Amino acid sequence: MTSTSKEVALRHVVRFNRPTMRSPRAEIALIVPLPKNTLDPRWRACRNHHTACDCREAELAEEIAELRSERDLLIRVLREELAEHATWAYTTGNERDPVAECKCTGCVIARRLDLYSIGGSIGTQWSERGPSR
């Protein structure tokens, strides 16, 4: 009986453009994966800097990872701090009720950034004279 390898070959590619009817997605196969950050030895070894060289790819990948991490931290902290707040308030007619919305700085920031998944929401009744109590 012959033994078979259990290793799976990963295909490393770089993709350009979104596929459309007129132009399909372009893919370039890579021998090795692109560097993930500046800890990759190829970043230090790069001497011939050019567009899409290893050092630039490493720096870009590292910057994107750092920005995503900061964004995730920001959203997680806002969700934790504003969990019980009435960040969003709506009338029974599904209109925004700015009078009933929480006025704290965190809720104001969440509303200005249109982060609808942050904070809570409440339903109110609205009359011509203003909100009913």
Side-chain angles (χ1 to χ4, degrees), residues 67-111:
L67 288 171
R68 286 179 178 163
S69 176
E70 290 173 359
R71 177 205 59 202
D72 293 345
L73 174 64
L74 173 69
I75 289 175
R76 186 176 70 243
V77 168
L78 279 171
R79 280 193 178 126
E80 290 170 2
E81 294 299 323
L82 302 178
E84 302 298 322
H85 291 238
T87 306
W88 306 96
Y90 298 95
T91 64
T92 53
N94 210 22
E95 301 278 329
R96 274 200 49 210
D97 186 353
V99 174
E101 291 175 337
C102 180
K103 304 297 187 269
C104 78
T105 303
C107 288
V108 171
I109 291 170
R111 282 193 297 272

